Amino acid sequence: MGTHDELRALPKVDEVLKRPELVGLPLPRWAVVEAVRREIERRRQAILGGGGASVERPSAEVVSADVLRLAEELARPSLRRVVNATGVVLHTNLGRAPLAAEAAERVAEVARGYSNLEYDLDGRERGSRHDHLRELLCELSGAEAAVVVNNNAAAVLLTLAALAEGREVIVSRGELVEIGGAFRVPDVMRQSGARLVEVGTTNRTHLADFERAVGAATALLLQVHRSNFAVLGFTAEVGAKELVALGAARGVPVAIDLGSGTLIDPASLVGAGLPHEPTVRQAVESGADVVTFSGDKLLGGPQAGIIVGREAAIARIRRHPLMRALRPDKLTLAALEATLAIYRRGAAHELVPAVRMLAMTPAVLLARAERLAQLVGPTAQVVVAVVAVASAVGGGALPLAEPPSGALAITARDGRGAEALDAVLRAGGLPIVGRIAEGRLLLDVRTIADDELDAVASAVRAL
Ligand SMILES: *Cc1c(COP(=O)(O)O)cnc(C)c1O
């Protein structure tokens, strides 16, 4: 058959749409029509590209077989829920912290209707969105004042712009970090209009380095949490209290970017074996003027940047023109308020998912992996085994921690590799993202929710 004949033999859109297997589908009509168009077009291109000989016989029936899969794909939302089976609790690519159930409910409630976002219900006048969380944040952190922005990168940018634009900010060379997604301290500093003054060395910085650098142009001393790396060996760093004492003596404010920021010392999570991490309250108690941290890292809330500290500094930050561009929306505020309310009643260990997952002991996790293995049961296609693994905290928090966990190790009986199995699990209706180690696909149960175990088990059985 020549190219011309082949093109003429392509079925028409209407013809394919009439195929019985495409009638009455539980899929939106536009997706089916679009899928038919694309499938016919794909074959047309194949013919024109000279691959005609290898093209399937392009009947309406043949085309319709591919249409179903494509239409389902087109109809699916792009942003979807997935099962995190990586064991990385704050997985940046998987949306970091899952919200507590009551935080999600508050979001739904506020999202569906109107709210008093900027309305003072007592005075029948205009209110401020920044007032809703102030008391709660002050109570939990011990700070005088607090304000929330879109994320912690925004919190740092705004702090620098409001307190140090056109002037100097002194930072240790050991803390000029890059966080994922191109957040680099020197670049953020440039964007804010502040001038970076680096002191000390990569591994050792002393108070004397800061003392020598403070001058008339100094606006701020900044301490940045190393977050995603560690410096080991011959090291020295200046503590927050020393920095604050120097700032007080020279009349220069101090800011601490905690990065993750936590209200609970991870070392206090009994049985989890996590390292000590200074809390937000400790940073505030050091006397720093400003402390910034994320809402969706160790705190386990929504994406947000939280700024707490002294009234004077927070007032300048609130008034800065950039605030309008960086302010949080009502959904963020609803989720954050509900999350913080859980901390206030001391229930974060049970009710904030990220905290609960980090607090799980190896024994509990291995028992969970056993339960998942039982739910999978014997299958003809794959062999599953319960193995001890190490999870990670993720999200630029506790970079050296490898809390022990339990996982399901999956290998195919038919010789399919771990990559192939992984691809099948990721392509499902509820995608499951595991990790591959030593040729096996691992599903770490630390980050799989209880109500996801059944779905994971049936996906594994169907491999
Ligand atoms: C994560 C992090 C940031 C950025 O926070 P986001 O909430 O991701 O915007 C800034 N500084 C430090 C030290 C961090 O660890």
Side-chain angles (χ1 to χ4, degrees), residues 91-457:
H91 199 301
T92 301
N93 303 136
L94 301 182
R96 284 204 191 147
L99 287 183
E102 52 195 271
E105 279 156 26
R106 292 284 297 116
V107 170
E109 186 188 331
V110 167
R112 267 195 220 105
Y114 296 100
S115 62
N116 62 338
L117 179 65
E118 293 188 345
Y119 187 82
D120 180 354
L121 290 171
D122 296 330
R124 224 190 178 309
E125 56 193 28
R126 197 189 156 118
S128 166
R129 71 179 64 213
H130 299 304
D131 290 340
H132 296 289
L133 275 76
R134 196 176 45 201
E135 250 181 65
L136 201 44
L137 281 169
C138 289
E139 186 188 315
L140 291 168
S141 68
E144 285 171 20
V147 71
V148 176
V149 290
N150 213 357
N151 53 34
N152 190 38
V156 176
L157 176 69
L158 189 57
T159 299
L160 293 172
L163 303 184
E165 193 170 1
R167 300 177 66 207
E168 293 177 353
V169 178
I170 308 178
V171 190
S172 161
R173 287 201 170 86
E175 297 174 0
L176 295 175
V177 304
E178 175 181 305
I179 315 295
F183 175 93
R184 306 171 108 190
V185 170
D187 296 344
V188 174
M189 194 79 76
R190 203 170 307 120
Q191 288 298 326
S192 75
R195 281 198 305 283
L196 171 64
V197 175
E198 308 173 16
V199 296
T201 63
T202 308
N203 56 325
R204 288 173 72 83
T205 300
H206 308 280
L207 189 62
D209 296 320
F210 279 92
E211 278 170 350
R212 272 195 297 276
V214 176
T218 307
L220 194 67
L221 308 180
L222 176 67
Q223 189 181 65
V224 184
H225 193 286
R226 290 202 181 100
S227 291
N228 51 11
F229 75 108
V231 183
L232 304 175
F234 188 52
T235 64
E237 58 189 9
V238 181
K241 282 189 180 143
E242 289 172 277
L243 214 52
V244 168
L246 172 64
R250 308 289 285 269
V252 179
V254 174
I256 301 176
D257 175 21
L258 281 179
S260 181
T262 176
L263 298 174
I264 299 173
D265 181 359
S268 75
L269 300 174
V270 180
L274 292 170
H276 165 73
E277 176 76 17
T279 62
V280 171
R281 182 172 281 277
Q282 284 166 339
V284 169
E285 281 170 355
S286 74
D289 296 80
V290 176
V291 177
T292 55
F293 56 102
S294 284
D296 57 349
K297 289 188 183 173
L298 284 176
L299 188 73
Q303 177 191 305
I306 302 168
I307 312 176
V308 298
R310 297 199 186 281
E311 185 65 54
I314 301 296
R316 281 171 70 183
I317 289 167
R318 262 180 77 154
R319 280 198 308 268
H320 193 277
L322 262 181
M323 176 52 97
R324 174 63 196 233
L326 304 176
R327 68 186 189 175
D329 81 322
K330 59 189 177 182
L331 306 185
T332 299
L333 293 174
L336 189 55
E337 183 178 16
T339 306
L340 293 171
I342 296 173
Y343 277 93
R344 180 165 55 187
R345 9 187 252 273
H349 306 69
E350 298 99 62
L351 299 181
V352 174
V355 179
R356 192 178 57 214
M357 287 175 197
L358 286 172
M360 289 175 123
T361 63
V364 165
L365 289 161
L366 282 169
R368 225 153 170 246
E370 289 288 355
R371 204 175 126 216
L372 180 57
Q374 269 160 24
L375 287 171
V376 173
T379 84
Q381 283 74 32
V382 293
V383 183
V384 301
V386 170
V387 294
V389 294
S391 316
V393 178
L398 312 178
L400 300 188
E402 292 189 338
S405 183
L408 215 58
I410 305 172
T411 37
R413 292 183 199 275
D414 63 5
R416 276 178 296 168
E419 282 80 9
L421 298 178
D422 178 51
V424 175
L425 289 187
R426 279 188 287 110
L430 176 60
I432 299 166
V433 184
R435 70 189 145 95
I436 294 168
E438 289 156 20
R440 289 185 305 188
L441 176 58
L442 297 179
L443 304 182
D444 188 325
V445 296
R446 183 188 296 275
T447 45
I448 304 177
D450 268 331
D451 61 5
E452 290 170 341
L453 286 175
D454 278 325
V456 172

Side-chain angles (χ1 to χ4, degrees), residues 67-84:
V67 162
L68 214 65
R69 209 172 340 110
L70 182 57
E72 268 172 11
E73 219 176 283
L74 289 172
R76 273 205 291 257
S78 173
L79 179 61
R80 291 185 283 153
R81 181 174 161 197
V82 307
V83 172
N84 176 5

